[in-house]
Amino acid sequence: MPAVNFKLRWPDGQEMSGYSPSTIIYEHLCAGCSYALEDFILRAENALNAASERVKDVKGFYCSSAMDTLSALRYHARRFDGGQVQILDMQTAHAGQVNSGWSSF
């Protein structure tokens, strides 16, 4: 199952990376797009929950990496009252492959 490594910029300019175990995230987020903080979190929740469900359908269990990414996004989002989150890059990779050039959550 192809996965997606993505990189984002928070409203304060800090950059972070995340992981989705499924390309379904492309239905919710796009590279180069900016989202209001609340909209971004809703999109990330929908994308990563759907990705984890796809893993369950294929492998019989949910993806803990997707849930870890979602947990980290929620945690970091609490620092802001609003603002924009920009998706800097999204790269399709083989399952489990993490782009070593990015720092992870």
Side-chain angles (χ1 to χ4, degrees), residues 1-93:
M1 176 181 292
V4 178
N5 293 299
F6 60 96
K7 188 172 184 179
L8 61 92
R9 180 177 296 132
W10 290 106
D12 66 355
Q14 182 181 6
E15 295 180 4
M16 300 185 97
S17 61
Y19 171 83
S20 170
S22 169
T23 57
I24 198 167
I25 196 167
Y26 288 118
E27 296 178 16
H28 301 271
L29 300 172
C30 70
C33 293
S34 291
Y35 303 96
L37 180 65
E38 191 173 304
D39 183 39
F40 167 73
I41 292 300
L42 181 61
R43 288 171 175 269
E45 288 173 344
N46 290 334
L48 293 168
N49 283 324
S52 188
E53 284 289 338
R54 281 197 172 178
V55 170
K56 183 179 181 277
D57 290 345
V58 172
K59 298 189 177 190
F61 53 85
Y62 292 104
C63 180
S64 61
S65 294
M67 297 301 95
D68 289 346
T69 294
L70 182 54
S71 178
L73 292 173
R74 288 175 175 152
Y75 175 79
H76 288 287
R78 290 189 303 216
R79 299 179 299 148
F80 307 104
D81 291 326
Q84 296 287 308
V85 177
Q86 183 179 14
I87 308 302
L88 301 174
D89 194 21
M90 299 177 79
Q91 296 181 7
T92 303

